[in-house]
């Protein structure tokens, strides 16, 4: 059940160019959240700006805290980046469906600002005794969050400029390192998710993909997030799904990318 809370900022730091990490105190939302879900944060000027959906990077149920890692992408996220300890933000969550955790070898794939939600998932799978490998795709050698993944997983990196790890994309890194998976979990930009879907089909492996980069308002108000599904909606008889309501996590085979 989603809750509305006034989250209190506990700490904030800039961890890469335009990328911020913030811990917030939200006991009710943290108690229910699972990896892959998101929250929406409201700006001061809520009349002018839609709330901003942001994924959960870490879920600390014991202390009632959530960590979000986000990129400045407009006025709303710029406002959040200026906040510090003690500031309050109205927040709604947890929203969306999250990842369905499976047994067997897991390969987690994160690209760009799709990397943060994979940290919460890596921690949860590791705690359940699952063997986890993580493949992180970056533009260059600014490897935000990479070290934190090493607590829970074997970590592999691809960079577009070849400065670290495999030169190319995340699929190039999977092939170069001969990684095998029973389940693939991924979050990142659309070209990456297309590559993951094709790779999973080739290997006959189940893939769950988070399409959160497609979201705008996160609350069903803008319809900017509609994607095509392979099955027909029983109610409206169309192939449409809203990422913010029906996702953000889908089985790759169920959506047209
Ligand atoms: Fe606005 Fe889904 S993100 S309707």
């Amino acid at each position: 059940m989603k809750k509305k809370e006034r989250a209190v900022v506990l700490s904030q730091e800039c961890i890469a160019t335009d990328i911020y990490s913030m811990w917030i105190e939200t006991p009710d939302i943290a108690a229910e959240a699972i990896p892959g879900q998101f929250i929406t944060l409201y700006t001061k000027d809520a009349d002018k700006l839609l709330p901003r959906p942001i994924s959960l990077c870490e879920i600390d149920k014991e202390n009632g805290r959530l960590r979000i890692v986000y990129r400045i992408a407009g006025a709303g996220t710029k406002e959040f980046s200026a906040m510090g300890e003690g500031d309050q933000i109205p927040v709604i969550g947890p929203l969306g469906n999250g990842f369905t955790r499976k047994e067997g070898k897991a390969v987690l794939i994160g690209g760009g600002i799709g990397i943060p939600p994979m940290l919460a998932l890596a921690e949860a799978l590791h705690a359940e005794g699952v063997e986890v490998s993580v493949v992180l795709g970056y533009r260059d050698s600014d490897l935000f969050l990479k070290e934190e993944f090493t607590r829970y997983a074997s970590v592999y990196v691809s960079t577009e400029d070849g400065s670290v790890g495999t030169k190319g994309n995340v699929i190039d890194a999977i092939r170069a390192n001969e990684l095998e998976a029973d389940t693939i979990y991924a979050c990142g930009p659309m070209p990456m998710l297309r590559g993951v879907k094709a790779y999973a089909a080739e290997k006959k492996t189940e893939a769950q993909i988070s399409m959160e980069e497609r979201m705008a308002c996160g609350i069903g108000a803008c319809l900017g997030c509609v994607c095509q599904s392979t099955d027909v909606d029983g109610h409206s008889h169309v192939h449409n799904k809203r990422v913010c309501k029906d996702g953000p996590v889908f089985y790759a085979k169920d959506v047209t990318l």
Side-chain angles (χ1 to χ4, degrees):
M1 253 272 286
K2 67 180 182 193
K3 306 253 168 54
K4 184 163 191 178
E5 277 189 281
R6 283 196 83 78
V8 180
V9 177
L10 298 169
S11 62
Q12 167 138 268
E13 61 177 320
C14 179
I15 59 169
T17 307
D18 284 342
I19 295 182
Y20 284 77
S21 167
M22 183 194 274
W23 276 101
I24 52 176
E25 192 174 50
T26 54
D28 293 347
I29 298 174
E32 296 196 7
I34 63 166
Q37 288 188 302
F38 65 98
I39 56 176
T40 53
L41 283 73
Y42 286 74
T43 57
K44 287 202 188 76
D45 203 352
D47 296 343
K48 288 213 188 93
L49 288 177
L50 285 166
R52 305 313 312 155
I54 298 180
S55 65
L56 304 177
C57 175
E58 286 191 77
I59 302 163
D60 178 359
K61 292 184 187 294
E62 209 174 309
N63 297 301
R65 305 182 306 161
L66 294 172
R67 181 188 186 191
I68 53 174
V69 170
Y70 60 96
R71 176 182 281 149
I72 295 182
T77 40
K78 179 108 192 132
E79 181 181 314
F80 303 140
S81 72
M83 291 182 160
E85 191 182 340
D87 285 336
Q88 296 190 6
I89 317 173
V91 171
I92 290 183
L95 297 166
N97 58 353
F99 291 102
T100 303
R101 300 198 294 275
K102 301 283 178 80
E103 292 176 355
K105 278 188 195 166
V107 170
L108 278 54
I109 304 172
I113 205 61
I115 288 171
M118 306 320 282
L119 187 63
L121 181 63
E123 181 178 6
L125 288 168
H126 175 74
E128 287 162 8
V130 172
E131 188 182 326
V132 185
S133 300
V134 175
V135 184
L136 304 174
Y138 296 94
R139 232 175 257 159
D140 50 35
S141 58
D142 202 350
L143 309 181
F144 62 93
L145 295 179
K146 183 201 159 233
E147 278 316 301
E148 301 192 44
F149 278 93
T150 58
R151 285 186 233 144
Y152 314 117
S154 313
V155 182
Y156 304 86
V157 167
S158 68
T159 49
E160 286 172 23
D161 67 0
S163 53
V164 187
T166 304
K167 180 171 172 34
N169 61 34
V170 288
I171 302 299
D172 296 326
I174 290 180
R175 293 191 197 279
N177 294 288
E178 299 177 354
L179 300 182
E180 289 181 2
D182 294 305
T183 306
I184 293 171
Y185 307 84
C187 185
M190 199 52 75
M192 187 198 100
L193 296 182
R194 279 192 202 107
V196 170
K197 178 176 167 145
Y199 178 80
E202 174 196 321
K203 297 287 179 188
K204 299 191 171 34
T205 303
E206 182 182 278
Q208 298 177 36
I209 56 171
S210 172
M211 295 172 62
E212 58 161 57
E213 282 217 341
R214 185 79 182 256
M215 283 193 292
C217 72
I219 53 168
C222 72
L223 298 185
C225 66
V226 170
C227 71
Q228 289 227 309
S229 60
T230 45
D231 65 325
V232 177
D233 182 298
H235 173 64
S236 55
H237 306 291
V238 292
H239 289 273
N240 288 344
K241 287 200 187 299
R242 276 179 299 174
V243 172
C244 66
K245 292 284 180 192
D246 303 312
V249 178
F250 296 94
Y251 284 98
K253 63 177 175 44
D254 292 343
V255 281
T256 309
L257 302 176

